[in-house]
Amino acid sequence: VQLQASGGGLVQAGGSLRLSCAASGRTFSNYAMGWFRQASGKEREFVAAIRWRDSRIYYSDSAKGRFTISRDNAKNAVYLQMNSLKPEDTANYYCAAGVRGILSSGYDYYTKLRNYDYWGQGTQVTVSS
């Protein structure tokens, strides 16, 4: 599975960006796709995830109410609409795909980096104050 993230850029605080992640190669019916971010000098952290089977969605506390994750089945793509951006959202954003989740897997599962098997190259988001 290859993941290609795009859509990052420079935006002023309060602005919006839409990130895209296209998946190619082998796909799975029960996988999930997530967005993570890593700010300079910090650990990579969970932002949002969506399960392909049932479209169940998970958000980090920092993303709730401002970010929206969505998918396009036909394009095998996932998107992250980010509104009301803040300087603290500045980071390299990565999309990831996890194929080992099961029906009972929930928030605690999908927020962990180790449960994702494929990673995109990252797209930089910079929010100026």
Short mmCIF file of all heavy atoms in Angstrom, two decimals, residues 84-121:
data_model
loop_
_atom_site.label_atom_id
_atom_site.label_comp_id
_atom_site.label_asym_id
_atom_site.label_seq_id
_atom_site.Cartn_x
_atom_site.Cartn_y
_atom_site.Cartn_z
N SER A 84 -10.35 26.86 11.50
CA SER A 84 -9.96 27.59 12.71
C SER A 84 -8.55 27.20 13.15
O SER A 84 -8.32 26.92 14.34
CB SER A 84 -10.97 27.35 13.83
OG SER A 84 -12.27 27.71 13.45
N LEU A 85 -7.64 27.18 12.22
CA LEU A 85 -6.29 26.72 12.53
C LEU A 85 -5.59 27.66 13.50
O LEU A 85 -5.80 28.88 13.47
CB LEU A 85 -5.48 26.58 11.24
CG LEU A 85 -5.82 25.33 10.43
CD1 LEU A 85 -5.33 25.46 9.00
CD2 LEU A 85 -5.22 24.10 11.09
N LYS A 86 -4.75 27.07 14.34
CA LYS A 86 -4.01 27.79 15.35
C LYS A 86 -2.51 27.58 15.12
O LYS A 86 -2.11 26.55 14.54
CB LYS A 86 -4.37 27.27 16.74
CG LYS A 86 -5.86 27.28 17.06
CD LYS A 86 -6.13 26.61 18.39
CE LYS A 86 -7.62 26.55 18.69
NZ LYS A 86 -7.88 25.88 19.99
N PRO A 87 -1.67 28.47 15.61
CA PRO A 87 -0.22 28.27 15.46
C PRO A 87 0.24 26.92 16.02
O PRO A 87 1.17 26.31 15.47
CB PRO A 87 0.37 29.44 16.24
CG PRO A 87 -0.66 30.52 16.12
CD PRO A 87 -1.98 29.80 16.16
N GLU A 88 -0.41 26.44 17.06
CA GLU A 88 -0.01 25.16 17.64
C GLU A 88 -0.39 23.96 16.77
O GLU A 88 -0.01 22.83 17.07
CB GLU A 88 -0.61 24.98 19.05
CG GLU A 88 -2.10 25.24 19.15
CD GLU A 88 -2.41 26.64 19.62
OE1 GLU A 88 -1.76 27.60 19.13
OE2 GLU A 88 -3.32 26.79 20.47
N ASP A 89 -1.12 24.19 15.68
CA ASP A 89 -1.40 23.12 14.72
C ASP A 89 -0.24 22.94 13.74
O ASP A 89 -0.26 22.01 12.93
CB ASP A 89 -2.68 23.43 13.93
CG ASP A 89 -3.92 23.42 14.79
OD1 ASP A 89 -4.04 22.51 15.65
OD2 ASP A 89 -4.77 24.31 14.61
N THR A 90 0.74 23.82 13.78
CA THR A 90 1.89 23.71 12.90
C THR A 90 2.61 22.40 13.13
O THR A 90 3.00 22.07 14.26
CB THR A 90 2.85 24.88 13.15
OG1 THR A 90 2.20 26.11 12.77
CG2 THR A 90 4.13 24.72 12.33
N ALA A 91 2.77 21.62 12.06
CA ALA A 91 3.38 20.30 12.17
C ALA A 91 3.46 19.69 10.78
O ALA A 91 2.86 20.18 9.82
CB ALA A 91 2.56 19.40 13.09
N ASN A 92 4.18 18.59 10.72
CA ASN A 92 4.16 17.75 9.52
C ASN A 92 3.04 16.73 9.73
O ASN A 92 3.01 16.03 10.75
CB ASN A 92 5.50 17.05 9.36
CG ASN A 92 5.81 16.72 7.92
OD1 ASN A 92 5.00 16.97 7.03
ND2 ASN A 92 6.97 16.14 7.68
N TYR A 93 2.11 16.69 8.80
CA TYR A 93 0.94 15.82 8.92
C TYR A 93 1.13 14.56 8.07
O TYR A 93 1.47 14.66 6.88
CB TYR A 93 -0.32 16.56 8.50
CG TYR A 93 -0.81 17.53 9.55
CD1 TYR A 93 -0.10 18.69 9.84
CD2 TYR A 93 -1.97 17.27 10.28
CE1 TYR A 93 -0.52 19.57 10.83
CE2 TYR A 93 -2.41 18.15 11.26
CZ TYR A 93 -1.68 19.29 11.53
OH TYR A 93 -2.11 20.16 12.51
N TYR A 94 0.90 13.42 8.69
CA TYR A 94 1.08 12.14 8.05
C TYR A 94 -0.25 11.40 7.97
O TYR A 94 -1.00 11.38 8.95
CB TYR A 94 2.06 11.28 8.83
CG TYR A 94 3.46 11.83 8.92
CD1 TYR A 94 3.81 12.71 9.94
CD2 TYR A 94 4.43 11.48 7.99
CE1 TYR A 94 5.08 13.23 10.02
CE2 TYR A 94 5.72 11.98 8.06
CZ TYR A 94 6.03 12.86 9.09
OH TYR A 94 7.30 13.37 9.17
N CYS A 95 -0.50 10.74 6.83
CA CYS A 95 -1.62 9.81 6.79
C CYS A 95 -1.07 8.40 6.94
O CYS A 95 0.09 8.13 6.60
CB CYS A 95 -2.43 9.95 5.51
SG CYS A 95 -1.55 9.59 3.99
N ALA A 96 -1.90 7.54 7.46
CA ALA A 96 -1.48 6.18 7.74
C ALA A 96 -2.65 5.24 7.54
O ALA A 96 -3.81 5.63 7.67
CB ALA A 96 -0.96 6.07 9.17
N ALA A 97 -2.33 3.99 7.23
CA ALA A 97 -3.35 2.96 7.06
C ALA A 97 -3.05 1.79 7.99
O ALA A 97 -1.90 1.34 8.06
CB ALA A 97 -3.40 2.48 5.61
N GLY A 98 -4.07 1.33 8.66
CA GLY A 98 -3.93 0.18 9.54
C GLY A 98 -4.84 -0.93 9.09
O GLY A 98 -6.03 -0.68 8.81
N VAL A 99 -4.31 -2.15 9.01
CA VAL A 99 -5.09 -3.26 8.46
C VAL A 99 -5.39 -4.34 9.47
O VAL A 99 -6.00 -5.36 9.13
CB VAL A 99 -4.35 -3.87 7.24
CG1 VAL A 99 -4.08 -2.81 6.20
CG2 VAL A 99 -3.04 -4.52 7.68
N ARG A 100 -4.97 -4.16 10.71
CA ARG A 100 -5.13 -5.24 11.69
C ARG A 100 -6.26 -5.00 12.69
O ARG A 100 -6.50 -5.82 13.56
CB ARG A 100 -3.80 -5.43 12.45
CG ARG A 100 -2.68 -5.95 11.56
CD ARG A 100 -1.34 -5.93 12.28
NE ARG A 100 -0.79 -4.58 12.32
CZ ARG A 100 -0.47 -3.95 13.43
NH1 ARG A 100 -0.66 -4.52 14.61
NH2 ARG A 100 0.05 -2.73 13.39
N GLY A 101 -6.95 -3.90 12.57
CA GLY A 101 -8.03 -3.64 13.50
C GLY A 101 -9.17 -4.62 13.32
O GLY A 101 -9.40 -5.16 12.24
N ILE A 102 -9.90 -4.86 14.39
CA ILE A 102 -11.06 -5.75 14.34
C ILE A 102 -12.29 -4.95 14.72
O ILE A 102 -12.20 -3.78 15.10
CB ILE A 102 -10.87 -6.98 15.26
CG1 ILE A 102 -10.65 -6.52 16.72
CG2 ILE A 102 -9.71 -7.83 14.78
CD1 ILE A 102 -10.53 -7.67 17.71
N LEU A 103 -13.45 -5.62 14.66
CA LEU A 103 -14.71 -4.92 14.86
C LEU A 103 -14.76 -4.20 16.20
O LEU A 103 -15.32 -3.12 16.32
CB LEU A 103 -15.87 -5.89 14.73
CG LEU A 103 -17.27 -5.27 14.65
CD1 LEU A 103 -17.38 -4.34 13.46
CD2 LEU A 103 -18.33 -6.36 14.59
N SER A 104 -14.19 -4.82 17.21
CA SER A 104 -14.26 -4.25 18.56
C SER A 104 -13.18 -3.20 18.83
O SER A 104 -13.18 -2.57 19.89
CB SER A 104 -14.15 -5.35 19.60
OG SER A 104 -12.91 -6.02 19.47
N SER A 105 -12.29 -2.99 17.88
CA SER A 105 -11.24 -1.99 18.08
C SER A 105 -11.88 -0.61 18.16
O SER A 105 -12.75 -0.28 17.38
CB SER A 105 -10.24 -2.03 16.92
OG SER A 105 -9.61 -3.29 16.84
N GLY A 106 -11.41 0.16 19.12
CA GLY A 106 -12.03 1.45 19.33
C GLY A 106 -11.01 2.57 19.40
O GLY A 106 -9.91 2.49 18.86
N TYR A 107 -11.37 3.61 20.13
CA TYR A 107 -10.55 4.83 20.18
C TYR A 107 -9.13 4.53 20.64
O TYR A 107 -8.16 4.98 20.03
CB TYR A 107 -11.21 5.83 21.12
CG TYR A 107 -10.46 7.13 21.23
CD1 TYR A 107 -10.67 8.14 20.30
CD2 TYR A 107 -9.55 7.35 22.25
CE1 TYR A 107 -9.98 9.34 20.39
CE2 TYR A 107 -8.87 8.55 22.35
CZ TYR A 107 -9.09 9.54 21.42
OH TYR A 107 -8.40 10.72 21.51
N ASP A 108 -8.98 3.78 21.71
CA ASP A 108 -7.65 3.49 22.23
C ASP A 108 -6.78 2.78 21.21
O ASP A 108 -5.55 2.94 21.22
CB ASP A 108 -7.74 2.65 23.51
CG ASP A 108 -8.23 3.47 24.69
OD1 ASP A 108 -8.21 4.72 24.59
OD2 ASP A 108 -8.64 2.88 25.71
N TYR A 109 -7.39 1.98 20.37
CA TYR A 109 -6.64 1.25 19.35
C TYR A 109 -6.20 2.19 18.24
O TYR A 109 -5.02 2.22 17.87
CB TYR A 109 -7.50 0.12 18.79
CG TYR A 109 -6.79 -0.72 17.75
CD1 TYR A 109 -6.05 -1.84 18.13
CD2 TYR A 109 -6.85 -0.39 16.40
CE1 TYR A 109 -5.40 -2.61 17.17
CE2 TYR A 109 -6.20 -1.15 15.44
CZ TYR A 109 -5.49 -2.24 15.84
OH TYR A 109 -4.82 -2.99 14.90
N TYR A 110 -7.11 2.96 17.71
CA TYR A 110 -6.82 3.74 16.52
C TYR A 110 -5.99 4.99 16.80
O TYR A 110 -5.54 5.64 15.86
CB TYR A 110 -8.11 4.10 15.80
CG TYR A 110 -8.73 2.90 15.15
CD1 TYR A 110 -9.91 2.34 15.65
CD2 TYR A 110 -8.13 2.27 14.07
CE1 TYR A 110 -10.46 1.21 15.09
CE2 TYR A 110 -8.68 1.14 13.50
CZ TYR A 110 -9.84 0.61 14.01
OH TYR A 110 -10.37 -0.51 13.46
N THR A 111 -5.81 5.34 18.05
CA THR A 111 -4.97 6.49 18.36
C THR A 111 -3.49 6.14 18.49
O THR A 111 -2.67 7.04 18.64
CB THR A 111 -5.42 7.16 19.66
OG1 THR A 111 -5.37 6.19 20.72
CG2 THR A 111 -6.83 7.71 19.54
N LYS A 112 -3.15 4.87 18.41
CA LYS A 112 -1.77 4.44 18.63
C LYS A 112 -1.02 4.22 17.33
O LYS A 112 -1.47 3.49 16.46
CB LYS A 112 -1.74 3.17 19.48
CG LYS A 112 -2.19 3.41 20.91
CD LYS A 112 -2.16 2.17 21.74
CE LYS A 112 -2.40 2.45 23.20
NZ LYS A 112 -3.66 3.17 23.45
N LEU A 113 0.17 4.82 17.22
CA LEU A 113 0.98 4.72 16.01
C LEU A 113 1.27 3.26 15.64
O LEU A 113 1.28 2.90 14.46
CB LEU A 113 2.31 5.45 16.19
CG LEU A 113 2.34 6.95 15.97
CD1 LEU A 113 1.63 7.67 17.09
CD2 LEU A 113 3.78 7.42 15.85
N ARG A 114 1.50 2.42 16.65
CA ARG A 114 1.95 1.06 16.38
C ARG A 114 0.87 0.22 15.70
O ARG A 114 1.14 -0.85 15.18
CB ARG A 114 2.39 0.37 17.67
CG ARG A 114 1.28 0.16 18.69
CD ARG A 114 1.78 -0.67 19.85
NE ARG A 114 0.75 -0.90 20.86
CZ ARG A 114 0.61 -0.17 21.95
NH1 ARG A 114 1.44 0.83 22.18
NH2 ARG A 114 -0.35 -0.43 22.82
N ASN A 115 -0.36 0.70 15.69
CA ASN A 115 -1.44 -0.06 15.07
C ASN A 115 -1.67 0.31 13.61
O ASN A 115 -2.65 -0.12 13.00
CB ASN A 115 -2.73 0.13 15.87
CG ASN A 115 -2.63 -0.51 17.23
OD1 ASN A 115 -1.99 -1.56 17.40
ND2 ASN A 115 -3.25 0.10 18.23
N TYR A 116 -0.76 1.11 13.07
CA TYR A 116 -0.82 1.48 11.66
C TYR A 116 0.36 0.85 10.93
O TYR A 116 1.48 0.83 11.43
CB TYR A 116 -0.83 3.00 11.50
CG TYR A 116 -2.14 3.60 11.96
CD1 TYR A 116 -2.37 3.82 13.31
CD2 TYR A 116 -3.15 3.88 11.06
CE1 TYR A 116 -3.58 4.33 13.75
CE2 TYR A 116 -4.36 4.40 11.49
CZ TYR A 116 -4.57 4.62 12.84
OH TYR A 116 -5.78 5.12 13.27
N ASP A 117 0.07 0.34 9.74
CA ASP A 117 1.06 -0.48 9.03
C ASP A 117 1.72 0.25 7.87
O ASP A 117 2.82 -0.13 7.45
CB ASP A 117 0.35 -1.73 8.48
CG ASP A 117 -0.37 -2.48 9.59
OD1 ASP A 117 0.32 -3.17 10.37
OD2 ASP A 117 -1.61 -2.35 9.70
N TYR A 118 1.08 1.25 7.34
CA TYR A 118 1.60 1.97 6.18
C TYR A 118 1.51 3.46 6.45
O TYR A 118 0.52 3.94 7.00
CB TYR A 118 0.81 1.61 4.92
CG TYR A 118 0.77 0.13 4.63
CD1 TYR A 118 -0.30 -0.65 5.06
CD2 TYR A 118 1.81 -0.48 3.95
CE1 TYR A 118 -0.33 -2.01 4.81
CE2 TYR A 118 1.78 -1.84 3.69
CZ TYR A 118 0.71 -2.60 4.13
OH TYR A 118 0.69 -3.94 3.88
N TRP A 119 2.54 4.16 6.01
CA TRP A 119 2.62 5.60 6.28
C TRP A 119 2.95 6.35 5.00
O TRP A 119 3.76 5.89 4.18
CB TRP A 119 3.70 5.88 7.32
CG TRP A 119 3.32 5.38 8.68
CD1 TRP A 119 3.47 4.12 9.18
CD2 TRP A 119 2.69 6.14 9.73
NE1 TRP A 119 2.98 4.05 10.46
CE2 TRP A 119 2.50 5.29 10.82
CE3 TRP A 119 2.29 7.47 9.84
CZ2 TRP A 119 1.92 5.70 12.02
CZ3 TRP A 119 1.72 7.89 11.03
CH2 TRP A 119 1.53 7.02 12.10
N GLY A 120 2.33 7.52 4.87
CA GLY A 120 2.69 8.43 3.79
C GLY A 120 3.89 9.27 4.17
O GLY A 120 4.43 9.16 5.28
N GLN A 121 4.29 10.15 3.28
CA GLN A 121 5.53 10.89 3.45
C GLN A 121 5.37 12.16 4.27
O GLN A 121 6.37 12.75 4.65
CB GLN A 121 6.13 11.25 2.08
CG GLN A 121 5.58 12.50 1.43
CD GLN A 121 4.14 12.36 0.93
OE1 GLN A 121 3.50 11.33 1.06
NE2 GLN A 121 3.64 13.43 0.33
#
